[in-house]
Amino acid sequence: MATTAGKRNLITDIAGMRVGQAQDAGVATGVTVILPEAPVVAACAVAGGGPGTRETDLLSAGAMVDRVDAVFLSGGSAFGLGAADGVMAGLKRAGRGFSLVDRPGVPPTPIVPGAILYDLANGGDKTWDGLAPYATLGLEAFNSADKDFELGRAGAGYGARAGQHPGGTGSASIVTTEGFTVGAIACVNSFGSVLMPGTNAYWAWPYELEGEFGGGRPPTDYSMDPEDWGAAKANPVLGQNTTIACIATDAALTPAQAQRVAQMALSGFSRAIRPVFAPFDGDAVFVLSTVSDAPVPDPLTVTRIGELAASTLARAITRGVHEARKQTGAVT
């Protein structure tokens, strides 16, 4: 069952998947859009105590709509939920969305769930007058969607902080021997630290592939005080910390299976960040299944996908912070 990173080592190694990003340097914030080429099965799991989400109720069991057109991740706290308006505008222009009835003059409604992180206190000029910039950023991100995109200080991770280190946007992928792919993207604004206390090694180092986040390792005699949180944020404030993420796979998951994978993927947060899921974190992960014309996987295969989702998410989180640290000169 040997696995390798995908060609790009990005979530866009999933066929038909693109990602768009936009940021405003003056405001120090941004938006990331995950854009499949057609509606996809979706699920969401939330573990943080201070989440900010949109349209996640639609993903509950028994809801009428079981596919989504896009997912957005945004800075800006609750203001960032407005990013969906820009994404919906782009989808409407493309003629995409859900129609209860097919009637002339009645446009389909794009289904765009998403989540936000709190970057309002991380610098930048947040004193905008009138409407917040997120709808505009959402449309810009939609319009820029492509197979390749920037990691680190980009998109929703542009103004983020990961403990006492710069946060960022990260992505990773993995391909199994039988050919299905799992990809992850994460925007990291965590209270907890991704680095092991007193070292330059990341918590997720056992999952690293091909030196993707520097190859740092802890000393062989390393031990740790369970109460030592290392470079976590010193003075957390309710709602100011979050890691938001999206998993995609080309395995043909049912909505219930996607929900199980989302729940399993949550462990990827705890493999990369410590502490995590705190009362002031808004950690949430979406799962997308892009294929519907293949056999539904058996429970063991779903378990494998969930475990790969967790490890790939841990890598994506760490890559995002590592690239941001490189961009700010913290590592070379």
Side-chain angles (χ1 to χ4, degrees), residues 170-283:
S171 189
S173 69
I174 200 158
V175 183
T176 67
T177 52
E178 63 267 54
F180 68 77
T181 306
V182 176
I185 187 169
C187 301
V188 189
N189 189 61
S190 56
F191 165 62
S193 174
V194 299
L195 286 160
M196 302 174 72
T199 80
N200 200 40
Y202 294 103
W203 287 113
W205 71 265
Y207 304 98
E208 184 176 19
L209 295 179
E210 302 172 11
E212 61 195 344
F213 36 85
R217 299 292 183 265
T220 56
D221 60 348
Y222 182 80
S223 63
M224 187 189 68
D225 178 352
E227 289 278 42
D228 183 1
W229 291 355
K233 291 177 181 173
N235 296 299
V237 179
L238 187 66
Q240 293 191 6
N241 313 275
T242 289
T243 301
I244 46 181
C246 184
I247 304 290
T249 181
D250 52 13
L253 302 178
T254 67
Q257 289 174 330
Q259 184 62 48
R260 176 53 55 190
V261 170
Q263 291 169 337
M264 294 182 68
L266 289 173
S267 66
F269 289 111
S270 58
R271 298 178 191 188
I273 303 167
R274 180 176 176 273
V276 74
F277 307 150
F280 25 78
D281 283 319
D283 307 316

Side-chain angles (χ1 to χ4, degrees), residues 52-54 71-75 80-81 113-117 156 242 244-245 282 284 286:
T53 59
R54 173 168 167 156
V71 169
F72 76 91
L73 308 174
S74 179
L81 295 174
I116 51 87
L117 56 81
T242 289
I244 46 181
F286 295 89

